[in-house]
Amino acid sequence: MNGKKDLLNDATWEVEISEILTSYTAKAVDEEKIDKTVDVLREYMPRAKEKYKLLKLFKNEITYVNRMYWIISMLVIIFGFIITNQQNYSVYETLLCISPIPIILGIYEAERGKREKMWELEKSFKHSYSKIMVIKILIILSFSTILTMLISLLICSGQESGELIRIMTAWIAPISIIFLVNIVISSKVSSNYSMMITTALWIITLVLGGEKIINFIEGAKLLSLIITISISIGGFLLTISKFYNYAEKYEGELSWS
Amino acid sequence: MGQGSEALIKEILKGNEAAMELLVRKNYSMVQSFIYRFIGDYNLSYDMTQEVFIKMMRNLNKFKFEDGKFESWLLKIASNHCKDYFRSNCFKQRNESSNIEDLDIEAKEFVIDILEKNEKRKAVKKAVDELPNLQREAIILRYYHDLKINEISKITGYKESTVKSRLFNAIKNLKKVIGGDEDEWEKRFIK
């Protein structure tokens, strides 16, 4: 043990062994190898937290939505509100007719990237197609919901609370159905056709069953209406989930093509 | 730890790529030379250096500034990575198939490097390469990276007394290979 102690504490020996070992030099580092490593490590850079990334994406996507979409949607709803008030149309009838319009236009707008072959550019923002599409859909749904809700509250001001439930049924249920139908159709055909087909189907439904729907809204008990609204909201969530899966598949197809 | 590295790590965690590049450039040579001397293979040392830096990036958020030098932490990753390599099938297969001729072929690849032609360097490299892995690691950290016994202990995860013992045995083994006046050695150190 003494030997070890002496050996490791002997400054002269330290110098001697260092001198001997110093001759075992390592070749100068290849700069290209460093550059390569740095490039590889860029992939491993810490990213901003997911929730902040999504918020940023949400903010970005709002700015990418065509201004005409916002304007037309607002005009349609305001026009409906004015018509209902001045011409004494049934508020349910008006909401049934106009509330799905922002959704139909919105899905058309959301698919603009795909339609105009902008998808590769959008993908370069490091978000998946499915994520971008779901964010776009959420923007559209939020906008439609807020807009229609505001109109509903304006219409219902001064009336009993049950009336608000009836009015909400008159727009939540239609937009839920339209949303589902539009997503299903747009997964099969181009967005131009899906918009036309969905609009046509909605008009046919209104012509053939509009009266029955209004009778249901006016005659149903509040509990039935609440259940209808709940099913509609569930339908929204299910459709968004299905839509996400569809978008993932679409992304996969793109990457293989 | 150096203030520079601390500041760079904080910047990297914020997503600053330039800081990452600076940190890598600052430490690349240290890691690569350690790995090269530890495993004795020049080409493989580059691949492994890259893997060590990837590990560093993956674990950078776990690095605790108060625990000490960043360089020691990085060398610890490199040391563990080399030990993983020695345990791997890849190493075992290479070891089984390698022989003196292979080493000669490898040495010939460095023919453009005039240092490789240096007989003394060759002898020391051979002596270091022939040390058992743990002794080699201790020698490299002590004499090529100027680390103190307690720092080597932290990096390797062994007690200081174990590190001292390994260094002692490593030096004895180096002596056997390099040669020299054995009596003088014994007289001075191994009483």
Side-chain angles (χ1 to χ4, degrees):
Chain A
M1 286 302 287
N2 282 340
K4 287 178 196 179
K5 200 177 173 183
D6 289 347
L7 179 68
L8 296 169
N9 292 330
D10 189 318
T12 316
W13 167 249
E14 286 280 353
V15 174
E16 281 179 27
I17 188 74
S18 293
E19 277 174 4
I20 293 168
L21 291 170
T22 303
S23 58
Y24 178 15
T25 51
K27 199 178 170 187
V29 171
D30 185 343
E31 284 293 320
E32 275 183 29
K33 300 278 185 185
I34 302 180
D35 293 341
K36 195 183 154 198
T37 300
V38 168
D39 284 340
V40 169
L41 294 181
R42 291 187 204 286
E43 290 296 311
Y44 295 88
M45 282 300 292
R47 305 281 174 222
K49 285 183 179 172
E50 193 67 13
K51 65 176 179 180
Y52 293 118
K53 271 169 70 183
L54 283 177
L55 276 175
K56 199 177 172 188
L57 177 63
F58 200 87
K59 202 175 141 189
N60 282 345
E61 289 303 324
I62 287 175
T63 60
Y64 295 147
V65 175
N66 196 321
R67 280 182 195 168
M68 286 307 287
Y69 167 73
W70 306 119
I71 294 167
I72 292 172
S73 298
M74 278 196 279
L75 285 176
V76 164
I77 298 290
I78 292 165
F79 179 73
F81 175 69
I82 294 167
I83 289 282
T84 309
N85 273 347
Q86 292 189 348
Q87 306 293 324
N88 284 332
Y89 276 102
S90 158
V91 64
Y92 311 125
E93 212 171 342
T94 310
L95 284 172
L96 269 178
C97 292
I98 64 166
S99 63
I101 293 173
I103 294 290
I104 296 171
L105 292 175
I107 292 175
Y108 183 76
E109 170 60 25
E111 293 192 329
R112 187 161 54 98
K114 190 172 88 178
R115 207 167 47 246
E116 294 175 0
K117 309 288 180 198
M118 296 287 281
W119 160 227
E120 284 301 328
L121 178 69
E122 289 181 342
K123 213 168 82 166
S124 69
F125 299 143
K126 293 186 177 178
H127 291 286
S128 67
Y129 170 78
S130 43
K131 203 180 274 178
I132 291 171
M133 285 305 286
V134 167
I135 292 287
K136 282 180 177 177
I137 294 293
L138 286 174
I139 290 168
I140 286 149
L141 280 175
S142 309
F143 175 67
S144 303
T145 308
I146 292 167
L147 197 62
T148 322
M149 195 70 204
L150 279 172
I151 300 295
S152 303
L153 288 170
L154 278 173
I155 293 169
C156 281
S157 59
Q159 296 189 59
E160 57 165 316
S161 58
E163 185 57 16
L164 180 64
I165 304 286
R166 290 183 201 285
I167 286 173
M168 281 175 69
T169 313
W171 61 267
I172 290 180
I175 64 173
S176 171
I177 294 164
I178 285 295
F179 181 53
L180 171 68
V181 170
N182 205 341
I183 290 294
V184 170
I185 295 173
S186 65
S187 68
K188 307 288 177 196
V189 296
S190 73
S191 52
N192 289 327
Y193 287 121
S194 72
M195 187 174 77
M196 284 190 281
I197 294 168
T198 312
T199 309
L201 282 174
W202 186 238
I203 291 168
I204 293 167
T205 309
L206 285 179
V207 171
L208 297 177
E211 205 177 316
K212 284 181 185 173
I213 297 169
I214 290 166
N215 286 340
F216 167 76
I217 293 168
E218 287 181 335
K221 287 179 181 174
L222 283 182
L223 183 65
S224 305
L225 295 175
I226 290 168
I227 291 169
T228 308
I229 291 172
S230 305
I231 292 170
S232 302
I233 292 168
F236 268 129
L237 298 173
L238 188 70
T239 311
I240 291 170
S241 155
K242 293 284 176 195
F243 179 81
Y244 185 79
N245 292 336
Y246 155 72
E248 289 266 281
K249 188 183 165 191
Y250 179 76
E251 189 170 26
E253 283 168 5
L254 264 181
S255 62
W256 283 103
S257 59
Chain B
M1 70 178 286
Q3 188 65 29
S5 297
E6 185 178 342
L8 289 173
I9 292 165
K10 284 178 180 167
E11 281 299 308
I12 294 169
L13 293 173
K14 285 181 200 165
N16 186 338
E17 285 191 12
M20 177 272 289
E21 188 171 346
L22 274 173
L23 192 74
V24 171
R25 289 191 184 282
K26 195 176 161 190
N27 293 287
Y28 193 94
S29 175
M30 175 189 77
V31 175
Q32 192 270 336
S33 64
F34 169 78
I35 294 174
Y36 167 57
R37 289 190 176 106
F38 202 176
I39 64 167
D41 185 316
Y42 185 73
N43 291 321
L44 189 59
S45 72
Y46 276 117
D47 294 339
M48 286 177 67
T49 301
Q50 184 167 300
E51 287 158 12
V52 165
F53 278 106
I54 290 172
K55 281 187 177 177
M56 175 201 84
M57 288 300 287
R58 282 182 170 154
N59 294 287
L60 204 57
N61 57 342
K62 293 177 194 162
F63 174 71
K64 290 173 186 166
F65 295 101
E66 65 272 19
D67 278 2
K69 285 170 76 177
F70 166 75
E71 287 75 13
S72 298
W73 180 73
L74 191 56
L75 280 173
K76 188 172 184 169
I77 297 175
S79 163
N80 288 335
H81 197 60
C82 289
K83 286 168 190 166
D84 287 343
Y85 166 71
F86 289 130
R87 282 191 289 264
S88 70
N89 288 331
C90 172
F91 170 72
K92 284 169 190 163
Q93 282 167 5
R94 282 172 73 107
N95 213 27
E96 279 167 14
S97 61
S98 70
N99 52 39
I100 298 298
E101 284 172 15
D102 290 338
L103 291 173
D104 285 346
I105 291 164
E106 194 192 324
K108 281 172 190 168
E109 289 173 0
F110 294 94
V111 80
I112 52 164
D113 182 357
I114 53 162
L115 290 167
E116 190 67 30
K117 292 173 186 170
N118 184 310
E119 290 301 319
K120 189 178 176 188
R121 179 185 183 276
K122 272 186 179 178
V124 177
K125 181 182 186 302
K126 189 171 181 289
V128 173
D129 283 351
E130 284 180 4
L131 288 173
N133 292 343
L134 297 175
Q135 288 180 19
R136 185 161 65 251
E137 182 188 35
I139 282 285
I140 294 167
L141 292 171
R142 179 78 185 93
Y143 294 102
Y144 292 104
H145 294 273
D146 291 326
L147 296 181
K148 291 174 183 160
I149 304 287
N150 64 336
E151 289 173 315
I152 299 172
S153 167
K154 277 182 188 169
I155 290 170
T156 57
Y158 294 104
K159 286 179 184 175
E160 287 186 25
S161 56
T162 310
V163 174
K164 279 182 185 177
S165 174
R166 271 189 196 143
L167 278 172
F168 173 76
N169 291 326
I171 290 164
K172 250 173 65 175
N173 288 326
L174 279 177
K175 160 78 178 60
K176 281 179 200 165
V177 180
I178 296 169
D181 189 340
E182 201 165 319
D183 290 341
E184 177 63 20
W185 275 62
E186 282 185 7
K187 199 167 80 182
R188 286 189 61 174
F189 307 113
I190 312 167
K191 288 171 184 171

